[in-house]
Amino acid sequence: MNQRFADMGLRLSFGEHVDEDDEFRSGSIASRVADLHAAFADPEVAAILTAIGGFNSNELLPHLNWELIAANPTVLCGYSDITALSNAIFARTGLVGYSGPHWSSFGMREHVEPTGE
């Protein structure tokens, strides 16, 4: 799947805790916040593409460093549960997020071509 990104001329990096997996199929709140903050703080990161939607991004909201996010505007793209995160970031910082594909969307067997376009 990552080859699809390379074919589009994109270089991927992943958060330190991307492989954590708890009973809710995600990492701990602290790990997810750390990865999100690291992505916003890294000048090499042009966009943050969520791995998947899920149902618990709202857990992150009380722990986010809004000043860090506002000072480092970076594209945030995802859908489903990510809408809560995107809307909160917009409300607190004015940064517009995008409802669009997750990283995992590019692993789909069918209909991935229009997603890439």
Side-chain angles (χ1 to χ4, degrees):
M1 170 170 42
N2 292 339
Q3 185 60 45
R4 288 182 170 165
F5 289 94
D7 292 345
M8 291 185 287
L10 302 172
R11 184 175 49 91
L12 296 179
S13 63
F14 295 90
E16 177 183 351
H17 305 99
V18 70
D19 290 324
E20 277 189 24
D21 187 7
D22 65 10
E23 66 273 13
F24 296 109
R25 305 293 306 166
S26 66
S28 69
I29 293 170
S31 293
R32 288 180 285 145
V33 168
D35 285 352
L36 190 59
H37 285 164
F40 273 104
D42 186 342
E44 295 293 313
V45 173
I48 300 167
L49 190 63
T50 58
I52 198 161
F55 58 90
N56 55 5
S57 71
N58 61 314
E59 296 175 328
L60 309 182
L61 303 182
H63 308 282
L64 293 180
N65 180 336
W66 304 110
E67 293 79 21
L68 170 77
I69 294 169
N72 298 283
T74 304
V75 171
L76 174 67
C77 183
Y79 66 95
S80 186
D81 182 57
I82 301 305
T83 304
L85 181 61
S86 184
N87 285 341
I89 289 173
F90 174 71
R92 296 294 298 267
T93 69
L95 178 64
V96 175
Y98 295 88
S99 181
H102 298 298
W103 167 82
S104 59
S105 300
F106 289 87
M108 296 178 173
R109 283 191 304 254
E110 300 194 22
H111 311 296
V112 73
E113 291 78 17
T115 300
E117 290 174 16

